[in-house]
Amino acid sequence: MKNSSPLFRLGALIASAATVFALAACGTANSGTAKKVNTESASGTPVTYTGTLPMPSTTGVYNNPQPRSNLKDNGTLTLSINEIGPDWNAFSVNGNTKYMNTLWSYYMPTLWLYNADGSTVKPNKNYVTSYKVAKANGKQTITLNFNPKAKWNDGTAIDWTAVKAAWTVQNGKDKNYTPASTTGWEQVEDVKQGDNAKQAVITMKTPYYPATSFISIYPPQAVNAKTYTSGWTDNPHDKEWGAGPYVVKNKTTSQVTFTPNPKWWGNKPKMTTVTFKALEDQAALNAFKNGEIAATGLSTADDIKTVKSVKGATIRRGYDSSVSVFEFNAKKGVLKDINVRKAIVQGIDRNQMTKIAFAGLDWNTPVPGSELLYPTQKGYEDNMPKEAAFNTANAKKTLEADGYKLGSDGYYAKNGKTLAVSYTTFGDGSKIKARGLAVQKMMKNIGIKLTIDNKGSSEFSNTITSGNYDIVGMGWSGANPTDGFTSGYQLYGSDSDSNYAFVGSKAADKLLKKVTTIADSQKQIDTLNQGEKLALKCYGTLPYANPPVMGVYAKGLANYGPSSWKTVLVEDIGWQKN
């Protein structure tokens, strides 16, 4: 569940386990509030409601928005999370998960603030007091002025060196670094000090649009390549390299507690402690029911029944900036063969996968044809190849044309080897199990033997970054409205460390790299769609659902929950006074 909406990090889509965080309508309940609700309240819908849940606005904020003046001081908050670590470097491909970005938002800088529909952006003046995009000597320049009070927790000033450090670790020149994305930074010619150390001047080799959307800062104290790749392992370095509202009070591999940062120069956090516990879905449901955590995702009618008795709890749901996908590891065995990957894609009924994802929910969105733009966004197109459409007969024809022969056991084989693959899933949710069984049946229908490899949620990062899978279910989540436009190469690039299919197209690479150099937004969209169409012809990945944010929240929890693109600062999350 996208529990809060701090701006994670710009310029990169964030990987997550492909759990559809959804809330079932409790239409079979025999008690509760039945009066029809046509519009979702900003604070959510009572869990006692038994009617059809209202659809949210595509840009609505449903996190019980409250001003700081109406929040209690010295609150405590406990939440669940899929995993904690092991890599605490959210810039790295190994640490670029939704979960680590959530943890980073509590103790690392958030530079940019977006409104709910994503149409405006402004700097977080705790860090950047002003910025300017201009042209000097024929080249685009971006000038940032940093807050005089802004410091890393070890006392080092946050200044132009933090921008240079981000450029160093993310420009892709030095292969000793493993950035999740090089987008934007690879177009930078230089980063220099401006009028003083608190001013950074970025000079671009080629213009980048939108100009500031890739800019982030990284602690220059940690710029050494060895430190970057291994120095963050099981170590958040909050006391030295942190620079946010909170610091880590204590930590294990299954729990982390934040407490207000005594060196923080901004608004005082409303919570005395914020604790994240690594829990599987069922454990999180039980913990919420017992009052041990303040929010959790819900995905079935049984889930809502489990928490129905929690007094004052509300259901909050909204559109999410995420897409659930299958990744096919083109470096593994039979999946090296594009025809096998193509047959698998032809054999997966994405409409059925969507029905499983949203079964029992008052939710209906089309099957996505893009991993970069969402059906609710301007410029969205279905970029899947026409020949990729679900068709069991065509899938078999693809395999037979590739030299496979159907055996008496119902499975295809070549050179005496049965065509077999494994499908890796994470977590213990009922819909995760249902999805696995559905894919297994679909593969059997086209003559491919599929085994299910279920792992704990805490194994997600290590599994994905090690490439230890054949087929894996996962998701991508955008942190800001421009991520889809700027992250095409991150997902599909032939040499991108975030391309978990490990296959690409030179023609697609060229187009996807070109997108951010185009000033005209419509031409950007057109080029992006052209590039994704070519990339999806590699049959390395398959989008199948755009899940909503749906969850249940404790009474009075404010500024926490679905908020569209709106940036909600963690120091403003609290308990409502009245």
Side-chain angles (χ1 to χ4, degrees):
M1 178 174 56
K2 190 178 179 182
N3 288 322
S4 61
S5 57
L7 186 63
F8 296 140
R9 182 163 58 80
L10 300 179
L13 290 180
I14 304 163
S16 63
T19 302
V20 176
F21 300 112
L23 175 64
C26 193
T28 59
N30 55 21
S31 64
T33 304
K35 186 177 180 180
K36 186 175 181 180
V37 176
N38 294 315
T39 305
E40 182 173 356
S41 167
S43 60
T45 304
V47 291
T48 53
Y49 180 65
T50 59
T52 299
L53 288 169
M55 285 294 288
S57 164
T58 55
T59 57
V61 176
Y62 305 102
N63 64 356
N64 188 23
Q66 298 293 328
R68 284 179 58 84
S69 60
N70 199 35
L71 299 177
K72 299 175 183 178
D73 292 323
N74 303 316
T76 60
L77 179 63
T78 303
L79 302 162
S80 66
I81 196 167
N82 282 45
E83 66 175 12
I84 297 172
D87 192 336
W88 280 76
N89 183 1
F91 276 71
S92 165
V93 67
N94 294 339
N96 183 48
T97 67
K98 194 171 188 178
Y99 322 115
M100 186 49 61
N101 277 273
T102 296
L103 299 179
W104 257 45
S105 70
Y106 280 80
Y107 79 101
M108 296 297 280
T110 294
L111 293 193
W112 307 101
L113 309 177
Y114 285 84
N115 67 344
D117 66 7
S119 62
T120 63
V121 60
K122 61 183 181 180
N124 181 350
K125 293 193 175 182
N126 287 316
Y127 301 100
V128 178
T129 57
S130 63
Y131 73 96
K132 182 180 180 181
V133 181
K135 184 175 284 189
N137 300 319
K139 293 185 177 181
Q140 184 188 57
T141 62
I142 306 162
T143 300
L144 305 177
N145 294 300
F146 287 98
N147 189 322
K149 296 179 181 179
K151 293 182 179 181
W152 302 103
N153 287 339
D154 67 359
T156 302
I158 293 179
D159 58 16
W160 77 279
T161 61
V163 181
K164 185 175 182 180
W167 175 45
T168 300
V169 303
Q170 290 187 273
N171 62 33
K173 291 180 180 178
D174 188 339
K175 298 305 179 183
N176 290 310
Y177 296 101
T178 54
S181 174
T182 61
T183 300
W185 294 107
E186 64 185 358
Q187 291 173 228
V188 172
E189 181 178 278
D190 200 4
V191 176
K192 292 183 178 180
Q193 176 178 313
D195 294 338
N196 54 65
K198 281 288 183 175
Q199 185 179 81
V201 179
I202 303 169
T203 302
M204 307 299 293
K205 290 183 288 189
T206 54
Y208 185 92
Y209 304 99
T212 62
S213 64
F214 72 96
I215 297 174
S216 53
I217 58 176
Y218 181 83
Q221 311 94 304
V223 78
N224 174 273
K226 185 176 181 181
T227 302
Y228 176 90
T229 55
S230 58
W232 296 83
T233 302
D234 291 321
N235 190 345
H237 290 287
D238 56 300
K239 304 301 190 299
E240 320 99 271
W241 307 335
Y246 290 88
V247 289
V248 175
K249 182 178 181 181
N250 52 61
K251 178 190 74 69
T252 67
T253 56
S254 60
Q255 181 171 309
V256 59
T257 297
F258 293 97
T259 193
N261 181 1
K263 299 180 180 180
W264 174 241
W265 57 94
N267 287 331
K268 181 181 178 181
K270 289 295 181 176
M271 298 295 184
T272 300
T273 61
V274 178
T275 298
F276 287 91
K277 294 182 177 181
L279 298 172
E280 295 288 356
D281 293 350
Q282 189 58 51
L285 283 169
N286 294 335
F288 182 83
K289 182 180 179 181
N290 296 331
E292 297 168 15
I293 62 175
T296 189
L298 301 172
S299 60
T300 69
D302 287 338
D303 290 352
I304 188 67
K305 290 178 183 177
T306 299
V307 300
K308 190 175 178 63
S309 61
V310 179
K311 188 176 180 179
T314 57
I315 297 163
R316 301 175 189 174
R317 63 189 210 153
Y319 286 87
D320 195 16
S321 57
S322 64
V323 58
S324 299
V325 304
F326 295 114
E327 296 282 342
F328 310 112
N329 189 341
K331 295 197 302 185
K332 293 287 288 289
V334 294
L335 293 177
K336 294 177 182 178
D337 186 343
I338 188 174
N339 292 304
V340 173
R341 301 196 303 272
K342 180 178 179 180
I344 291 173
V345 169
Q346 292 172 319
I348 293 177
D349 184 349
R350 293 189 295 151
N351 285 309
Q352 181 63 25
M353 301 310 298
T354 301
K355 288 178 182 178
I356 292 172
F358 303 147
L361 310 180
D362 299 325
W363 194 269
N364 183 29
T365 54
V367 174
S370 172
E371 296 181 16
L372 300 175
L373 297 178
Y374 311 110
T376 56
Q377 283 185 289
K378 176 186 176 183
Y380 166 83
E381 291 182 14
D382 185 345
N383 291 327
M384 286 297 299
K386 289 184 178 180
E387 59 269 27
F390 169 64
N391 189 306
T392 299
N394 284 348
K396 289 183 175 182
K397 289 177 182 178
T398 298
L399 292 175
E400 289 167 3
D402 198 36
Y404 283 92
K405 297 186 182 300
L406 190 64
S408 58
D409 60 355
Y411 295 113
Y412 280 100
K414 184 194 286 189
N415 300 324
K417 292 184 178 180
T418 299
L419 182 52
V421 294
S422 66
Y423 170 45
T424 300
T425 63
F426 304 93
D428 63 358
S430 61
K431 288 191 175 179
I432 294 170
K433 295 175 183 177
R435 183 166 60 241
L437 292 173
V439 174
Q440 188 176 54
K441 183 179 179 180
M442 291 173 192
M443 291 301 97
K444 185 175 182 180
N445 289 342
I446 64 169
I448 296 178
K449 188 173 186 179
L450 182 141
T451 56
I452 299 171
D453 176 25
N454 180 252
K455 298 180 182 294
S457 296
S458 62
E459 297 180 71
F460 172 71
S461 293
N462 283 336
T463 301
I464 295 299
T465 57
S466 67
N468 187 24
Y469 54 84
D470 289 348
I471 303 172
V472 67
M474 59 172 287
W476 290 107
S477 178
N480 71 61
T482 65
D483 275 349
F485 299 94
T486 62
S487 298
Y489 193 81
Q490 179 197 353
L491 265 61
Y492 298 119
S494 299
D495 60 356
S496 170
D497 286 334
S498 294
N499 179 346
Y500 296 123
F502 308 105
V503 65
S505 156
K506 297 291 186 183
D509 291 350
K510 184 177 180 180
L511 286 169
L512 294 172
K513 281 188 172 183
K514 184 181 178 182
V515 171
T516 57
T517 68
I518 301 171
D520 182 271
S521 60
Q522 186 56 55
K523 290 181 180 178
Q524 271 192 320
I525 292 171
D526 292 343
T527 304
L528 180 80
N529 283 321
Q530 291 170 24
E532 188 176 36
K533 283 180 171 70
L534 293 176
L536 289 172
K537 286 184 177 181
C538 294
Y539 295 99
T541 182
L542 178 67
Y544 68 86
N546 289 126
V549 184
M550 293 188 183
V552 61
Y553 299 77
K555 181 181 180 180
L557 183 58
N559 300 327
Y560 196 77
S563 56
S564 194
W565 295 114
K566 182 177 175 61
T567 308
V568 178
L569 298 174
V570 295
E571 59 264 38
D572 296 338
I573 296 170
W575 294 102
Q576 187 177 346
K577 286 181 180 178
N578 51 50

